[in-house]
Amino acid sequence: MTGATAKLPKLQIPKDEEAQRRIEEASELARDGDLKAAQKILKEAIASGLFPKPLQREVLAWWSAGQYDLLKDVPKVTPQTVANPERSVAKNEDDEMEAQVVKIMKERQMSRKEACQYIDEGGLEMEQMRAEMNAPMDQAFEDMKNKGPPQWFIDSMTKVQEEAKAKEEGYTAGSENPEAPAGAPMALGPAGAPVALGPS
């Protein structure tokens, strides 16, 4: 699906050939601009019980978005699917699951076991939800990463580096300890004869 059709409601098209034929006929009329006749066909199909009323709203939403080919994703009914519909549905689900596992394995460099665990834990649903949600902060962070650090940060880091370099140069060019004041070294105590402890 493209971005425009991603927000449209999911179509619950019935598997009945007659219902699909009616939807296709109504869609052709809508594409040609005859919405009144197209809606009439949908209402008649609902009245006859071919499909439920919510489907009419879904179809109208797709038509209003300019999407008239509603049956392109619907699997065609074949003699094999008529004979064993559960098997064909299960096979389609297995094929979709296998495709998802392979996709995750390739994209994330995961083993098959890790990819299956990721899917079972809801990783794909979370990705889909994040993609559908409006995430302005994600875009802001991406912009910040692309632009690099702000100028004030670069200036302050340059200043700190220059001060450290000046301090280091002062240390190597001057005395052994640049922070000690110049002059005679101070002793810890008064110089002279040792004082005896105790009575004399």
Side-chain angles (χ1 to χ4, degrees), residues 20 32 35 38 49 55 66 68 95 101 114 121 143 159 161 164 169 174 189 196:
Q20 290 181 6
D32 295 337
L35 287 174
L55 181 62
Y68 300 101
D95 290 345
V101 169
E114 290 170 332
E121 290 175 353
D143 291 344
K159 182 180 177 186
Q161 289 173 349
E169 288 174 1

Side-chain angles (χ1 to χ4, degrees), residues 185-191:
M186 296 179 64
L188 295 175

Side-chain angles (χ1 to χ4, degrees), residues 19-82:
Q20 290 181 6
R21 188 184 64 73
R22 290 274 181 97
I23 291 173
E24 189 171 5
E25 182 182 340
S27 294
E28 287 175 11
L29 287 172
R31 181 182 296 124
D32 295 337
D34 192 2
L35 287 174
K36 191 171 186 179
Q39 285 186 359
K40 184 178 179 188
I41 290 174
L42 292 178
K43 287 179 182 177
E44 288 172 359
I46 289 168
S48 66
L50 282 176
F51 48 81
K53 187 159 181 64
L55 181 62
Q56 180 182 8
R57 289 191 298 271
E58 295 167 3
V59 169
L60 290 174
W62 279 72
W63 289 349
S64 65
Q67 301 293 324
Y68 300 101
D69 192 12
L70 307 180
L71 300 178
K72 64 182 173 190
D73 295 331
V74 176
K76 299 294 179 193
V77 177
T78 62
Q80 291 141 349
T81 58
V82 170

Side-chain angles (χ1 to χ4, degrees), residues 131-152:
E132 291 173 358
M133 287 175 47
N134 184 13
M137 291 306 295
D138 291 345
Q139 183 62 37
F141 287 131
E142 286 299 319
D143 291 344
M144 281 191 259
K145 277 196 254 178
N146 293 336
K147 289 179 184 176
Q151 189 61 40
W152 62 266

